[in-house]
Amino acid sequence: QSVLTQPPSVSGAPGQRVTISCTGSSSNIGAGYDVHWYQQLPGTAPKLLIYGNNNRPSGVPDRFSGSKSGTSASLAITGLQAEDEADYYCQSYDSSLGGWVFGGGTKLTVL
Amino acid sequence: EVQLLESGGGLVQPGGSLRLSCAASGFAFSSYAMSWVRQAPGKGLEWVSTIRASGDNTYYADSVKGRFAISRDNSKNTLYLQMNSLRAEDTAVYYCAKVEGSWWLSLYFDYWGQGTLVTVSS
């Protein structure tokens, strides 16, 4: 059981907007530590998608955006495309555990 | 272009040892912290260990503390993970990742290797 809670799955039709939540606590997100997001396409290594809550690395489409408020963070994907079908993970630091932590992951299905 | 190439995975018996390597290229390896992250079959990502750029400071997840040791050779641009007293629950793909971030506790992993599979089984 991860200290960062994500929904196991979300889905949406092409062109739609979906959001993936990442719920933490006062020892991680709520303590002010940044949240980062990764995309893992089937059979491949994870790829950095969002860093520092809402920053996109070069090459990541602006259809992907991140936000953070209180003890939670969210990843939003607009204009959903078939190639967005993947697993998505949030990541932060937890002071109680004394280490970096990942959410359990969310499988995005494009209908 | 940043490249990270892991090697050393394989089948090992419970209680055995294995050393993973990660050859880095395309960036100033000695200037960056590095990490290992693992993923059990069909499961999510789990941070394992991180080492500072100089190699002076190391950090471990509770699940591997006392059994795993991270190290680096900056002259060879190579990261290592020595795994001892292996258990079935250590079975996973192990990824080497380059660390980035302006604030140490808010670090993130900006480049990943392709991973190497470690299977602990009798």
Side-chain angles (χ1 to χ4, degrees), chain A residues 32-34 36 38 40 44-48 51-52 89 91-93 97-104, chain B residues 37 39 43-47 50 59-60 62 65 95 103-110 112-115:
Chain A
Y33 300 115
D34 286 347
H36 320 290
Y38 303 86
Q40 186 174 32
T44 70
K47 168 193 167 185
L48 179 65
Y51 67 94
Y89 295 90
Q91 176 247 317
S92 187
Y93 179 83
L97 295 175
W100 294 273
V101 291
F102 288 92
Chain B
V37 177
Q39 186 171 34
K43 302 297 184 181
L45 302 172
E46 179 188 14
W47 169 74
T50 295
Y59 308 85
Y60 299 94
D62 286 344
K65 201 172 293 182
Y95 294 102
W103 180 29
W104 177 248
L105 296 184
S106 282
L107 64 79
Y108 55 94
F109 313 106
D110 60 343
W112 299 62
Q114 88 292 343

Side-chain angles (χ1 to χ4, degrees), chain A residues 10-61:
Chain A
V10 298
S11 63
Q16 284 190 331
R17 177 181 187 270
V18 296
T19 61
I20 298 173
S21 61
C22 175
T23 303
S25 68
S26 59
S27 63
N28 41 68
I29 298 175
Y33 300 115
D34 286 347
V35 178
H36 320 290
W37 292 89
Y38 303 86
Q39 177 192 60
Q40 186 174 32
L41 297 170
T44 70
K47 168 193 167 185
L48 179 65
L49 197 63
I50 297 287
Y51 67 94
N53 305 315
N54 56 13
N55 300 287
R56 280 176 289 106
S58 173
V60 173

